[in-house]
Amino acid sequence: MELPRCLRLALIHPVAAERTAWASRLHRTTVVEFENVQDFESRASKCDLVVLSSSHHPKNLLDLLAARLHVLLIAGQVPDEVILESLYSAAGVAGVQLTVMNPDRYLPSRQQIRRQVGNTLGEPGLIRSHRWLPSTNEGEFSEWLVRDLDSILWLAGRYPDRVFALESKQDGSPGRYLQVHLGFPGGGMALLDLTNRLPAGDGYASLSVIASSGAAYADDHHNMQLLYRGDRPQALQTDERARQHAAMIQETIDAILLNRDCSATLAEWRNAWVVANAVGHSIASGQAVTIGGE
Amino acid sequence: MTKSPRFRCAVLSAVKHDYVARGVASHPRFELVVVADDPDVPKWAHERNQQFADANGIPYLRDVQRALTDFDIQVAIVSPEAERHCDLSIRAAQAGKHVIQDKPLATTREDANRLVDAVERAGVRFLMWNRNFLPAVLHAREQIESGVIGKPYAIHADFYFAKDAGPTKGSRLPGYPPIDWQAHQIAAHVDGADGGLGREPMGELAVEGIYPLGYIRFLTGASVQRVFAGSTAFFHQAHADNNVEDLASVSLEMEGGILGSIAIGRIGLASHPSGGEIKLHILGTEGALVINEGRPEVGIYYKNQPAKEARQRRVANDNDFLLAENFARAIDRNCETVLDAKAARAIFATVEAALQSSRTGQPVDVRV
């Protein structure tokens, strides 16, 4: 299908190498790079779509929307769903698209799995996610929790009706460890554990989806290479993250060019936040929490 | 040099998993001398017992008591249908015989308690057959005991058998009767997928839960205190018809503040190239371990290879020999085995609580 025109994109990100890497892979767009919002505002460049992290101050985001610019938020440390709602309203008033996207959905392995779910793999029955991180701040930890919950909900294709969560109480140990257990209508389940207590160095992620006609396993363990330098070999991970942000931005560009409504992304991200809040309630109460469907 | 004594073994029913008896016999200190079962078991059970006896060149008696008294037996190896486990094990223990029993421990709490009491009163050794001595599990334990990851605070076990268990869920045509559990399990014996053999339907938590829970106990030494579980008949018509699960997830709260989980299921042949993904993820205060339980392994692929044949095959699996060795030493030294009756009952109680949790949708305390 022939797409109608080219989009002018303002790409706001503090790391030049990342901006350039993403921009180099985009089609149907002209890209101008900015280090931060102030840089963007000071150079007052004409554009159609602004791409930036959701950790920016809500006022910056509201200003962009009020200026009738489409906005793609790379989901991260979004304050809460109340602010999301105000951004959504502002986008509606301005008649522009506000999209919130979790970059993890665009990892090639996750895209591969998502294409198979509901297709060759059948319906998901049990999704298991491990994410182990070296030390992070509390905001980053919460961001990872919401991102991983979003990934699970996206793969499950539905909203859980039950949440049970535990937090490890290890006196004196820095960092956190959470364990989340989701139940879905129809019997599906998910397990997630998340920690930022690993020693300094690389983290670990693993995802498995057991489904009615098959299964998928995306595990850092499988993607390790070995380095021998005496003593025990080291494990080196062959990374898959080169293209995920470009893929995510391209999808938004194409959606805007085709006039496709991106507001569902907001609802999905909000759902992940609701589940994250339920995680907190479950930990506090020691009980499973029932949540309504969306 | 004094030679260690050999233990003469009676196989009290080989109708389910004769690999238990074969595994024990792989150790030079154990000798199978007789197979026995009660006279009133069904014809198919007598046939299986006779086949096993013939294959091992030993007699088959339709008289358990005579086998226990007339053959100078020291050990009974028990692998009937699940609901007869306890009865045969208790009779053996009461006759002063050490017992190796197939899993699960029991099908009821009352039977589990009777078995533990009988074993204690008789002062005999008891071993619940398990997989704790697989090379990768031993390797994990070595790493933990070396302190390289510090003190474990979380442990997760995935225990998936990529096996079919009859027709897929939703395949029963209108007007057709539900699948009879026992008939289905009897038929499944040909490919070893009859862990739930018995009149009473059993889901994967009851049939196989002992394995991942056994690993967790072996690696942490901690008992489970509270669970939250979900379970469902997701794949197979037999499980759906008989209201038992073939897929389950259990969150665990353990002694010492250790948290954990198991994900378990009989997930269909297509879901893994080599029989199922079995993994351990262990977090400690100084690091973490990711263990593939199937290693060491070798990949074997060839033209027209049957779908049921594993592409990655386990090698150097010494589990049977090491379990038998552990049992022999327990008898020699009058000490506990790696998975004794009380530990097996704790696992039974964990499964019981998990099933209750999945029914109520709330966490349940484990009552041992």
Side-chain angles (χ1 to χ4, degrees):
Chain A
M1 178 181 181
E2 195 67 29
L3 285 167
R5 58 187 172 92
C6 184
L7 207 69
R8 294 166 301 182
L9 186 145
L11 183 53
I12 302 176
H13 193 281
V15 179
E18 300 235 10
R19 291 197 304 265
T20 305
W22 302 353
S24 68
R25 291 177 181 271
L26 297 175
H27 299 267
R28 294 178 285 284
T29 187
T30 54
V31 183
V32 183
E33 298 177 29
F34 301 93
E35 200 173 315
N36 50 49
V37 169
Q38 290 72 33
D39 185 23
F40 170 76
E41 285 170 348
S42 72
R43 296 199 309 196
S45 180
K46 271 195 175 349
C47 68
D48 303 301
L49 167 66
V50 180
V51 177
L52 71 172
S53 160
S54 61
S55 57
H56 282 82
H57 196 281
K59 187 183 178 313
N60 295 138
L61 307 178
L62 286 166
D63 287 345
L64 292 172
L65 293 167
R68 302 175 67 91
L69 298 171
H70 302 293
V71 172
L72 164 58
L73 296 181
I74 302 172
Q77 297 179 43
V78 175
D80 59 43
E81 60 266 44
V82 171
I83 293 178
L84 269 181
E85 285 297 332
S86 67
L87 293 172
Y88 179 61
S89 297
V93 164
V96 292
Q97 298 259 36
L98 172 62
T99 309
V100 182
M101 282 197 172
N102 177 1
D104 299 333
R105 293 189 183 192
Y106 292 86
L107 286 166
S109 59
R110 275 50 174 178
Q111 287 280 303
Q112 181 71 247
I113 293 173
R114 188 62 186 89
R115 279 196 289 276
Q116 307 302 327
V117 165
N119 186 7
T120 57
L121 295 184
E123 293 310 304
L126 205 167
I127 300 170
R128 159 89 95 176
S129 170
H130 300 281
R131 177 152 336 256
W132 302 346
L133 303 162
S135 175
T136 64
N137 63 42
E138 181 56 37
E140 285 168 338
F141 188 86
S142 298
E143 173 187 332
W144 276 113
L145 173 63
V146 184
R147 279 167 68 166
D148 283 341
L149 289 170
D150 173 74
S151 293
I152 288 172
L153 267 55
W154 173 63
L155 290 168
R158 65 188 76 178
Y159 195 72
D161 57 7
R162 196 168 289 272
V163 178
F164 178 72
L166 296 164
E167 182 158 13
S168 169
K169 295 166 182 58
Q170 296 279 325
D171 294 329
S173 283
R176 297 179 69 188
Y177 169 82
L178 286 188
Q179 200 168 297
V180 180
H181 195 152
L182 304 179
F184 293 86
M189 298 162 263
L191 292 167
L192 160 68
D193 65 290
L194 170 65
T195 186
N196 61 356
R197 287 186 183 160
L198 277 192
D202 289 351
Y204 170 83
S206 168
L207 173 72
S208 63
V209 178
I210 307 300
S212 55
S213 306
Y217 310 93
D219 190 334
D220 282 356
H221 196 200
H222 296 157
N223 295 325
M224 291 296 178
Q225 319 289 1
L226 297 176
L227 169 64
Y228 288 84
R229 291 183 72 236
D231 206 351
R232 294 182 184 188
Q234 296 170 46
L236 310 177
Q237 189 179 348
T238 302
D239 205 0
E240 59 160 334
R241 286 173 296 180
R243 294 185 295 171
Q244 73 186 111
H245 286 84
M248 177 180 68
I249 297 168
Q250 188 67 59
E251 184 163 306
T252 306
I253 290 169
D254 291 345
I256 291 170
L257 289 175
L258 287 167
N259 263 330
R260 257 195 339 246
D261 183 6
C262 300
S263 60
T265 63
L266 230 74
E268 288 169 9
W269 189 244
R270 189 178 56 224
N271 286 345
W273 267 100
V274 171
V275 177
N277 287 338
V279 166
H281 291 143
S282 177
I283 290 171
S285 67
Q287 299 298 313
V289 171
T290 307
I291 52 180
E294 285 282 326
Chain B
M1 185 168 94
T2 312
K3 213 168 160 198
S4 299
R6 258 190 129 194
F7 300 109
R8 291 168 61 83
C9 306
V11 181
L12 301 187
S13 190
V15 305
K16 182 149 55 84
H17 291 146
D18 60 12
Y19 62 69
V20 177
R22 283 188 280 109
V24 175
S26 71
H27 194 292
R29 290 196 64 192
F30 293 90
E31 181 190 5
L32 306 183
V33 299
V34 64
V35 180
D37 213 332
D38 287 322
D40 56 351
V41 300
K43 182 163 171 275
W44 62 266
H46 285 306
E47 284 170 359
R48 285 190 192 174
N49 286 326
Q50 187 67 64
Q51 273 171 8
F52 184 77
D54 293 345
N56 288 274
I58 54 179
Y60 171 50
L61 302 188
R62 299 185 185 205
D63 187 333
V64 168
Q65 190 56 34
R66 193 155 82 83
L68 291 173
T69 54
D70 291 2
F71 284 78
D72 188 24
I73 298 299
Q74 292 85 44
V75 171
I77 303 169
V78 175
S79 183
E81 313 90 294
E83 54 255 10
R84 292 202 297 134
H85 282 177
C86 278
D87 176 61
L88 286 172
S89 291
I90 288 170
R91 285 154 72 185
Q94 287 171 342
K97 315 303 177 190
H98 306 291
V99 178
I100 295 176
Q101 189 195 290
D102 191 10
K103 45 86 178 167
L105 179 73
T107 54
T108 68
R109 166 69 70 145
E110 294 67 34
D111 276 352
N113 287 339
R114 284 196 308 118
L115 175 50
V116 170
D117 288 344
V119 166
E120 280 207 325
R121 265 192 251 111
V124 297
R125 301 302 105 208
F126 181 94
L127 174 67
M128 171 65 59
W129 200 249
N130 61 82
R131 296 162 65 113
N132 289 350
F133 291 151
L134 285 171
V137 182
L138 289 174
H139 194 188
R141 181 146 141 154
E142 277 165 34
Q143 295 303 305
I144 292 169
E145 288 183 343
S146 76
V148 71
I149 66 166
K151 188 164 170 284
Y153 64 83
I155 179 165
H156 305 282
D158 288 341
F159 199 90
Y160 295 123
F161 276 172
K163 296 181 182 179
D164 290 331
T168 53
K169 184 178 167 187
S171 60
R172 181 154 59 83
L173 296 173
Y176 276 69
I179 293 175
D180 176 80
W181 182 261
Q182 173 143 287
H184 159 71
Q185 289 288 303
I186 289 171
H189 186 68
V190 292
D191 54 10
D194 59 341
L197 181 66
R199 279 188 306 277
E200 195 63 32
M202 294 169 60
E204 287 306 292
L205 277 169
V207 172
E208 309 289 354
I210 188 161
Y211 290 141
L213 290 169
Y215 295 158
I216 287 172
R217 191 179 182 91
F218 183 60
L219 295 172
T220 65
S223 58
V224 180
Q225 296 174 328
R226 195 169 84 133
V227 299
F228 174 80
S231 67
T232 184
F234 195 73
F235 302 100
H236 302 109
Q237 192 65 52
H239 291 73
D241 283 348
N242 290 278
N243 205 27
V244 292
E245 81 287 352
D246 52 21
L247 185 66
S249 54
V250 188
S251 288
L252 310 168
E253 294 173 74
M254 293 183 277
E255 253 179 331
I258 300 175
L259 301 180
S261 69
I262 67 170
I264 184 169
R266 192 163 294 255
I267 65 173
L269 182 67
S271 297
H272 194 271
S274 301
E277 179 92 337
I278 304 180
K279 281 193 97 138
L280 296 164
H281 288 82
I282 307 158
L283 284 157
T285 51
E286 309 292 330
L289 279 169
V290 180
I291 299 284
N292 183 326
E293 184 252 41
R295 291 179 186 169
E297 60 188 5
V298 62
I300 303 283
Y301 315 90
Y302 57 90
K303 220 190 273 191
N304 301 318
Q305 190 170 16
K308 279 190 178 179
E309 197 170 279
R311 270 59 180 159
Q312 301 296 122
R313 300 189 193 179
R314 294 169 186 261
V315 294
N317 176 358
D318 240 1
N319 188 64
D320 290 357
F321 178 89
L322 292 173
L323 282 178
E325 175 81 3
N326 175 263
F327 191 65
R329 288 197 188 173
I331 296 173
D332 292 341
R333 298 173 189 177
N334 197 29
C335 62
E336 293 306 339
T337 66
V338 66
L339 190 53
D340 61 19
K342 281 190 177 165
R345 181 174 59 182
I347 289 174
F348 172 91
T350 301
V351 169
E352 193 183 48
L355 290 170
Q356 187 185 345
S357 174
S358 73
R359 285 191 295 270
T360 62
Q362 286 297 340
V364 171
D365 291 334
V366 175
R367 186 178 57 91
V368 180

